[in-house]
Structure formats: structure tokens, C-alpha cells
């Protein structure tokens, strides 16, 4: 049986203190599924990939970004039309760490279904 998902990368959540993570901090747990979205209008980074948290009521929160040193390949794949191939989950939360290293993410590639 072939795996439904394969490990792609681990990274920290960049820019956490500059975005909306504090608004949903109590909802963020290990295992929480997040969505990756290209930010094509980001003036600081042409390869910017936002990390989004979706509340059940339909509200979306940008809680940070994939770090610049890790985003080029993800951005390229997303730009080629494969944005839905990634699964992003919180793998570690350490509220005592520096804000840039409080949230760690695991990104996997999902198997394409017919």
C-alpha cells in the first residue's frame, strides 16, 4: 500500500508576532491543520507563502509565513497550479521561545487522487 502523504519539510512559522497569530493563539495546538497560500502581492518577498488558520465560522487569519529560506520551492510548485498538494500542520508549540520560534510546522505532500 502506498503512503497517502510524504514528508516534505519542517520549519518554524516566520513573522508570527507581526500577523494575526495572537488573535487565535488559544486555538493553535499541535496537529492543527493550516493552509498555505501564495502572497503574490508581498512587497518584501516575491516567493512569500502565507500560513493561514481558518476558524469554523469561516474567518481566515494569516498567522505568519513560511521562512524566506524555505519558501522558494513551495512557491514555485504553488505557482504551477499544485497548491492543494501540501498539508501543513503544527508540529510543536513553545510559548516560552522567541516569537519567531514558538510555532514549528511540518509540511507533507499529499498523494494526488484520480
Amino acid at each position: 500500500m502506498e503512503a497517502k502523504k510524504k514528508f516534505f519539510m519542517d520549519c518554524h512559522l516566520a513573522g508570527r508576532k507581526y500577523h494575526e497569530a495572537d488573535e487565535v493563539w488559544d486555538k493553535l495546538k499541535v496537529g492543527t491543520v493550516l493552509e498555505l497560500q501564495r502572497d503574490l502581492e508581498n512587497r518584501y518577498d516575491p516567493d512569500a507563502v502565507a500560513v493561514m488558520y481558518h476558524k469554523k465560522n469561516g474567518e481566515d487569519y494569516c498567522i505568519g509565513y513560511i521562512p524566506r529560506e524555505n519558501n522558494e520551492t513551495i512557491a514555485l510548485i504553488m505557482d504551477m497550479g499544485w497548491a492543494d498538494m501540501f498539508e501543513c500542520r503544527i508540529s510543536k508549540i513553545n510559548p516560552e521561545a522567541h516569537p519567531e520560534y514558538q510555532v514549528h510546522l511540518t509540511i507533507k505532500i499529499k498523494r494526488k487522487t484520480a
Side-chain angles (χ1 to χ4, degrees):
M1 180 178 217
E2 295 185 32
K4 292 182 181 181
K5 300 173 200 163
K6 292 280 187 175
F7 174 82
F8 181 69
M9 66 178 274
D10 282 326
C11 64
H12 67 278
L13 178 69
R16 175 227 155 322
K17 70 179 182 176
Y18 301 109
H19 298 286
E20 301 171 311
D22 287 342
E23 294 181 41
V24 293
W25 186 253
D26 61 325
K27 306 285 186 213
L28 302 178
K29 311 279 185 240
V30 171
T32 299
V33 177
L34 305 168
E35 181 182 338
L36 301 181
Q37 286 183 3
R38 277 291 274 128
D39 183 354
L40 297 172
E41 297 180 13
N42 189 303
R43 63 183 181 184
Y44 302 107
D45 183 359
D47 294 321
V49 177
V51 179
M52 307 296 293
Y53 173 80
H54 301 290
K55 275 190 164 181
K56 291 184 175 148
N57 66 4
E59 291 182 69
D60 296 334
Y61 295 84
C62 176
I63 62 169
Y65 283 81
I66 299 298
R68 183 183 306 256
E69 62 269 15
N70 300 106
N71 68 7
E72 186 177 4
T73 300
I74 294 174
L76 173 65
I77 292 169
M78 293 178 88
D79 291 348
M80 295 300 291
W82 296 92
D84 61 346
M85 75 182 291
F86 295 106
E87 177 188 275
C88 180
R89 289 184 183 261
I90 295 174
S91 55
K92 181 180 173 185
I93 296 178
N94 181 358
E96 306 303 316
H98 183 279
E100 284 295 305
Y101 299 98
Q102 287 180 338
V103 180
H104 289 262
L105 308 171
T106 296
I107 300 171
K108 293 183 178 182
I109 297 175
K110 298 183 287 187
R111 179 170 298 285
K112 185 164 179 71
T113 56

